[in-house]
Amino acid sequence: MIALRICLICFGLFGFSAADPKLRVLILSGANNHDWKQTTPAIRKVLEESGRFVVDVEENVITMKPEAFAKYSVVLGNFNTFGEEAPQTKDWPLETRQAFLDHMAKGHGLVIVHAGSSVFYDWPEFQQLACATWKDGTSHGAIHLNRVTMTDTESPITKGLEPFWIRDEFWQGIHIAPGAKALASVIPDPAFDGSGKAENILFTTESAGARGFAIILGHDLVAMKNTAWKTILQRGTEWAATGKVTIPPAKDWPSTKEAGQRMTE
């Protein structure tokens, strides 16, 4: 009875029981036109510190074999082939592609961080699951501090979350996959060459039994220090894995401009 009571208390405080198995995440890394050598460890730390995930990293993405996905609930993309370190071969063979899709269709998920969808452009099924990507017409202004607002307050990922301030690179004119749902938006400031209109930057999709989540925020380590960004990455990854969210929002939520600024220091 005591053990059961402790278990219930844990569930009430953290949303999941200590007896729940941790969700396995595989981060695709090793090449990116952003600083993956810094951001990949940061992403891993954010996920692991929630207590909900066990995280592995793959830095030889293009050489992955079909069986590489089998033990993971989520594949997280922090990889693209725009960077100087990108391999000459920029694709998966057909058998690896099919193994990925078959694994996703078993109820697993894909998470995209920032430019992690800027890859496999000739693979419609991947792009559909990735939710949103950079294509002709996409741009961004200078990095600045701005306010993000939830536009879908019923999604398990954003339900109960307040608007927040974050210093980041805000994409505009993002190419959105058909059927993807936008969860949050930002108005890039014209003073920093922003569009001055609402731009969607958080997405989900469900396709062929799989779940996709994309957080276009997260350009660098400064953005990844933001507690709202951490919460959303954790909750979005849990949703991609299970279709549910139990992880609570951070207590030190940057709901004011001043709080958002402090998280850059």
Side-chain angles (χ1 to χ4, degrees), residues 93-221:
L94 291 178
E95 57 266 33
T96 304
R97 286 190 176 195
Q98 191 59 53
F100 172 83
L101 294 177
D102 290 346
H103 184 66
M104 292 290 109
K106 294 176 182 177
H108 301 308
L110 174 68
V111 171
I112 293 297
V113 174
H114 200 55
S117 59
S118 301
V119 69
F120 301 141
Y121 279 110
D122 66 339
W123 186 7
E125 293 89 350
F126 178 88
Q127 289 294 319
Q128 178 67 42
L129 198 54
C131 299
T133 194
W134 182 287
K135 283 193 175 181
D136 289 345
T138 309
S139 63
H140 64 76
I143 290 173
H144 61 284
L145 187 66
N146 210 328
R147 186 174 185 262
V148 174
T149 302
M150 309 306 160
T151 55
D152 183 345
T153 57
E154 293 305 312
S155 165
I157 299 170
T158 54
K159 192 167 186 175
L161 300 187
E162 298 178 0
F164 64 93
W165 288 81
I166 186 170
R167 179 187 178 277
D168 210 335
E169 177 184 86
F170 303 107
W171 289 11
Q172 46 208 29
I174 298 169
H175 179 80
I176 303 171
K181 297 179 181 179
L183 308 185
S185 69
V186 65
I187 301 176
D189 192 337
F192 295 90
D193 296 323
S195 66
K197 63 179 183 179
E199 304 282 356
N200 295 316
I201 42 76
L202 197 69
F203 305 91
T204 58
T205 193
E206 297 185 66
S207 177
R211 288 173 293 274
F213 166 68
I215 178 169
I216 306 301
L217 300 169
H219 172 75
D220 56 19
L221 289 184

Side-chain angles (χ1 to χ4, degrees), residues 7-34:
C7 221
L8 291 172
I9 291 171
C10 287
F11 186 87
L13 289 175
F14 302 108
F16 59 90
S17 166
D20 289 345
K22 291 189 177 184
L23 303 168
R24 299 192 68 92
V25 181
L26 178 65
I27 300 178
L28 306 184
S29 187
N32 200 314
N33 62 326
H34 296 70

Side-chain angles (χ1 to χ4, degrees), residues 21-26 52-56 71-75 241:
K22 291 189 177 184
L23 303 168
R24 299 192 68 92
V25 181
L26 178 65
R52 191 72 170 105
F53 307 100
V54 175
V55 183
D56 293 327
K71 64 181 180 180
Y72 297 101
S73 299
V74 172
V75 175

Side-chain angles (χ1 to χ4, degrees), residues 253-265:
W253 197 258
S255 56
T256 67
K257 187 174 185 179
E258 293 74 21
Q261 179 61 42
R262 284 195 299 272
M263 290 184 182
T264 70
E265 298 166 356

